[in-house]
Amino acid sequence: MSSPINPLADRVVAVREKAQEKTASGLYLPDSSKEKPVVAKIVAVGLDAKAVKVGNKIVYREYSTKELKI
């Protein structure tokens, strides 16, 4: 998947993965407990970002990002 956005400097573009609905032991999680850190896959990296590469997975908090609609 290529990104239509080319990030500058140390910015990255990441696509959020679907939140887990079930634990490893088989318990289902209610919607209220899903406000946990979010996992996303990096699809584009700026030239100055040295610590991450395209394809890496990152964990971030839901309300600490800027969301863009393409």
Side-chain angles (χ1 to χ4, degrees), residues 38-54:
V38 179
V39 177
K41 184 175 180 182
I42 295 177
V43 294
V45 179
L47 295 174
D48 295 338
K50 306 281 188 231
V52 294
K53 299 179 210 166
V54 173

Side-chain angles (χ1 to χ4, degrees), residues 11-58:
R11 306 292 181 159
V12 299
V13 176
V15 176
R16 180 188 313 190
E17 293 184 349
K18 187 177 177 185
Q20 273 190 326
E21 296 177 0
K22 192 167 138 180
T23 63
S25 61
L27 298 173
Y28 285 94
L29 300 171
D31 287 336
S32 61
S33 70
K34 289 185 183 174
E35 181 45 44
K36 305 271 187 216
V38 179
V39 177
K41 184 175 180 182
I42 295 177
V43 294
V45 179
L47 295 174
D48 295 338
K50 306 281 188 231
V52 294
K53 299 179 210 166
V54 173
N56 286 2
K57 290 187 179 184
I58 57 172

